[in-house]
Amino acid sequence: MKQKRLIFFTFISSALLCILLYIILHEAGHCIVAVLCGAAITELSILSAHMNYSGGNFTDLSALFLNANGILFPLFLSYIYTFLYRSAAKNKFYRILSFFCTLMPAFSLLPWVAFSIAYRFGFVLAENDDATRFLYNFSSSHNPLWVTAAALILIAVSVVLTVKKGVLRNFIEVIKEIKDKHPDLSDS
């Protein structure tokens, strides 16, 4: 029973840590662009996952980056993390955390895929979402399906890196090892 709790705690704590890191990096991505454009950050909340700023000198391009950098900053950091991943490391927590950290930013691109397709056909799925604000500016001169294509390419890069660097293999090994050592876990 103690081992079951430890396994459960390992999965939950690594997932929660990854979610917290993602939120921090997401909001930091927005803040970086705002500050580079001369804005002052007036509010930053991790709990409600938002930031506000005042002022700044935004061009059309920097306004696009302001919306996109919330997803791009954690995504590119996850690429760096994946490149630095030590596949020979045996620590289960490291392997589980790495799995979540390498794929969570990629799969947070799925709304960009769905929203872009919906936007192309005249539907707005979430009024105040980063993707929707990006599409509002981007689609005035470009087909929103370019955003879908770019998001799918970035997801594919993440998945390929995760497979090539052994992150997925190591995660599966941890799962198999847990199932082999604790066959009663699949019964409950």
Side-chain angles (χ1 to χ4, degrees), residues 112 115-117 119-121 135 138-139 142-149:
W112 288 73
F115 289 12
S116 300
I117 293 169
Y119 202 87
R120 171 65 179 91
F121 294 104
L135 287 165
F138 183 82
S139 297
H142 299 86
N143 188 326
L145 295 181
W146 284 111
V147 175
T148 299

Side-chain angles (χ1 to χ4, degrees), residues 131-143:
T132 303
R133 288 192 302 261
F134 180 92
L135 287 165
Y136 178 76
N137 292 321
F138 183 82
S139 297
S140 64
S141 58
H142 299 86
N143 188 326

Side-chain angles (χ1 to χ4, degrees), residues 35-178:
V35 168
L36 288 174
C37 291
I41 305 303
T42 57
E43 185 179 9
L44 175 63
S45 173
I46 302 307
L47 292 177
S48 60
H50 80 277
M51 58 82 69
N52 287 320
Y53 62 90
S54 65
N57 185 18
F58 292 91
T59 63
D60 289 342
L61 183 61
S62 62
L64 287 172
F65 274 111
L66 179 67
N67 295 313
N69 208 41
I71 184 67
L72 293 177
F73 187 61
L75 180 69
F76 289 126
L77 287 178
S78 78
Y79 289 168
I80 293 168
Y81 180 91
T82 307
F83 278 116
L84 298 175
Y85 178 72
R86 296 172 301 135
S87 62
K90 298 293 183 190
N91 183 285
K92 288 180 184 70
F93 182 78
Y94 175 72
R95 288 180 166 193
I96 294 167
L97 179 69
S98 297
F99 176 75
F100 288 127
C101 285
T102 56
L103 289 180
M104 186 177 290
F107 287 102
S108 63
L109 278 165
L110 290 176
W112 288 73
V113 172
F115 289 12
S116 300
I117 293 169
Y119 202 87
R120 171 65 179 91
F121 294 104
F123 299 103
V124 175
L125 298 180
E127 194 69 35
N128 201 24
D129 185 79
D130 293 337
T132 303
R133 288 192 302 261
F134 180 92
L135 287 165
Y136 178 76
N137 292 321
F138 183 82
S139 297
S140 64
S141 58
H142 299 86
N143 188 326
L145 295 181
W146 284 111
V147 175
T148 299
L152 289 172
I153 289 168
L154 292 172
I155 291 168
V157 167
S158 292
V159 171
V160 167
L161 282 174
T162 300
V163 170
K164 289 274 188 195
K165 293 296 287 183
V167 178
L168 181 62
R169 181 190 67 243
N170 286 347
F171 179 75
I172 292 169
E173 281 180 16
V174 168
I175 300 301
K176 285 181 180 177
E177 183 181 326
I178 290 169

